[in-house]
Amino acid sequence: ANPGVPKRRARSVARNRSGPCVRGIRSAPRGRENQEEDTMPAKKRISVVSAVWNEEENVIPCYEAVRKVFEEQLPQYEYEHIFCDNASTDRTLELLKEIARRDKRVKIIANSRNFGAARSAFNGLMSARGDAVVFSISADLQDPPSLIPEFVKKWEEGYEVVYGIRKEREENFLLSGMRKLYYRVVQRFSDFPIPADVGDFQLLDRVIVEALRQMEDHYPYTRGMIAQCGFKSVGIDYRHLKRERGEAKGKFYVLIDMGLNGLISFTNVPLRVCMLAGLVIAALSLLFVFVQLALLLFVSRGSSPPGIPTLIIALFFFSGVQLFFLGFLGEYISAIHFQVRKRPMVIERERINFE
């Protein structure tokens, strides 16, 4: 042993000279190609969700539009396109399976029956695996996929939520005006800010998706749930296009159902308005009693007025008010009823291209 080296150090040196398998020895340098592969960052993945029902005329154009955007404008990202089929009765599912057979980036969730667009799309959102999720692009392309690169740009700037603002709509004036009024009523009554004129066409960071996963909501009002999460968000204006092919699926009853769900999901203001209205009507009724008594004593003394029209009007008026208030209470009770029963949001028949 070297007399100038301590015994413990000398043993270590001897071990290091004994052979290449000794612990602590660096392996031979690898080739430049392998090193470059290790240093290359993995591509981020973006998921796109589309809920469909009887859209045989639109699923192929929707798929092609999304594919073109990612291949031509966002080649640096991987993507998956999740179609959620609500038990279509036409060739929608057949066409989707043909697309999925050729392109593994297309994934399909086929439901056992029609559970509604809101539940189906939310189930697709929960199944997305991307670092960000574009939720949700309608198959009729009224929400243009060409806006996705702008969404992604804002996301890369640090925004967790990028939402599309429907500044203009290609639809009749009456329906457009009703939508604008509804959005502002929900915005005014909600317990937290919900952007006006914003639908489900949004880009969500993975942190938002995981936050939404914690919300066990039987009938999700997704745009409100996203707003409830908070985080850093930004809006992008766009023109909501008219449907080019196929028949509109948003029937009047469905729109009313979704509207009431959005109104009662995040506020108890309607209940308080009903209570306040009841107090005001009771006060006016009491005032009416005193007015009638004064008229009887000082104006129509000695003759008893029939008062039949007054009684009929009062009866029908208060009956209508009571039924209206009971209806509002029923909406809340119905929401509680379905929530506490813990039924599954959707029941799936099959999944395709999910690993």
Side-chain angles (χ1 to χ4, degrees):
N2 189 343
V5 180
K7 290 184 179 180
R8 186 176 300 172
R9 175 63 177 163
R11 272 192 220 103
S12 176
V13 171
R15 274 200 305 267
N16 288 344
R17 290 175 179 171
S18 61
C21 296
V22 176
R23 189 175 180 181
I25 299 297
R26 290 184 179 181
S27 60
R30 293 178 296 172
R32 180 177 298 177
E33 292 182 359
N34 292 335
Q35 291 179 352
E36 288 178 354
E37 287 179 3
D38 288 349
T39 57
M40 285 178 62
K43 283 186 176 183
K44 293 181 180 179
R45 175 184 292 183
I46 297 176
S47 302
V48 180
V49 177
S50 297
V52 295
W53 180 66
N54 290 348
E55 294 284 3
E56 62 180 358
E57 299 178 7
N58 290 306
V59 287
I60 293 179
C62 178
Y63 158 72
E64 292 291 350
V66 172
R67 182 185 62 80
K68 184 177 179 181
V69 165
F70 277 92
E71 291 184 357
E72 294 183 2
Q73 300 183 56
L74 299 170
Q76 68 273 31
Y77 297 93
E78 293 182 356
Y79 86 97
E80 62 178 4
H81 195 168
I82 302 174
F83 285 93
C84 307
D85 180 69
N86 256 325
S88 297
T89 56
D90 61 2
R91 297 181 60 242
T92 297
L93 185 56
E94 177 186 341
L95 294 173
L96 287 175
K97 287 182 176 180
E98 177 61 25
I99 296 171
R101 186 183 62 81
R102 293 184 283 105
D103 190 346
K104 298 302 180 182
R105 296 173 298 186
V106 173
K107 303 182 179 182
I108 304 171
I109 301 176
N111 296 335
S112 60
R113 67 170 178 85
N114 190 347
F115 288 88
R119 296 183 181 92
S120 181
F122 190 83
N123 183 52
L125 175 63
M126 293 296 98
S127 303
R129 301 179 182 178
D131 299 290
V133 182
V134 178
F135 175 86
S136 78
I137 289 185
S138 54
D140 56 17
L141 300 180
Q142 290 183 286
D143 300 314
S146 58
L147 210 60
I148 294 177
E150 295 185 48
F151 282 10
V152 172
K153 181 181 178 182
K154 290 295 183 182
W155 174 57
E156 291 289 9
E157 290 176 4
Y159 292 97
E160 287 95 355
V161 180
V162 186
Y163 52 83
I165 303 174
R166 298 167 176 173
K167 279 297 183 184
E168 298 181 31
R169 287 177 173 271
E170 295 182 358
E171 62 184 2
N172 68 74
F173 176 78
L174 179 61
L175 187 56
S176 178
M178 290 177 62
R179 290 183 192 272
K180 286 183 177 294
L181 176 62
Y182 168 75
Y183 284 137
R184 278 147 187 81
V185 169
V186 172
Q187 184 185 48
R188 178 66 182 84
F189 284 169
S190 64
D191 300 327
F192 48 87
I194 299 179
D197 302 318
V198 173
D200 289 336
F201 185 33
Q202 308 188 36
L203 182 144
L204 312 176
D205 186 85
R206 170 53 57 178
V207 67
I208 304 294
V209 178
E210 295 307 318
L212 293 174
R213 198 183 301 278
Q214 301 175 35
M215 302 183 186
E216 298 180 0
D217 203 324
H218 172 76
Y219 190 179
Y221 183 66
T222 312
R223 67 197 71 173
M225 295 166 65
I226 293 170
Q228 187 180 27
C229 291
F231 292 96
K232 191 177 179 182
S233 61
V234 64
I236 296 178
D237 296 344
Y238 75 100
R239 184 182 183 88
H240 189 66
L241 306 175
K242 66 179 181 179
R243 173 183 278 263
E244 296 291 342
R245 295 169 296 271
E247 200 177 306
K249 306 302 187 296
K251 304 301 182 183
F252 185 73
Y253 170 77
V254 175
L255 295 177
I256 294 296
D257 181 57
M258 295 175 65
L260 286 174
N261 179 53
L263 192 60
I264 69 174
S265 292
F266 298 99
T267 180
N268 61 355
V269 169
L271 288 176
R272 294 181 178 179
V273 169
C274 291
M275 181 178 65
L276 179 61
L279 290 174
V280 171
I281 292 172
L284 291 176
S285 301
L286 187 61
L287 179 62
F288 182 73
V289 169
F290 286 113
V291 170
Q292 288 296 318
L293 182 61
L295 290 175
L296 177 63
L297 293 176
F298 302 109
V299 178
S300 303
R301 184 179 300 178
S303 63
S304 178
I308 298 301
T310 302
L311 290 175
I312 294 175
I313 293 172
L315 176 64
F316 279 93
F317 176 72
F318 287 112
S319 298
V321 170
Q322 290 173 355
L323 289 174
F324 177 75
F325 291 173
L326 286 174
F328 252 117
L329 288 173
E331 287 292 329
Y332 281 92
I333 294 171
S334 174
I336 296 170
H337 168 74
F338 285 113
Q339 185 68 26
V340 299
R341 291 180 72 91
K342 296 293 184 182
R343 290 173 177 169
M345 186 178 299
V346 301
I347 298 174
E348 300 176 1
R349 185 158 56 93
E350 62 176 328
R351 287 191 170 206
I352 298 173
N353 284 348
F354 283 88
E355 297 147 6

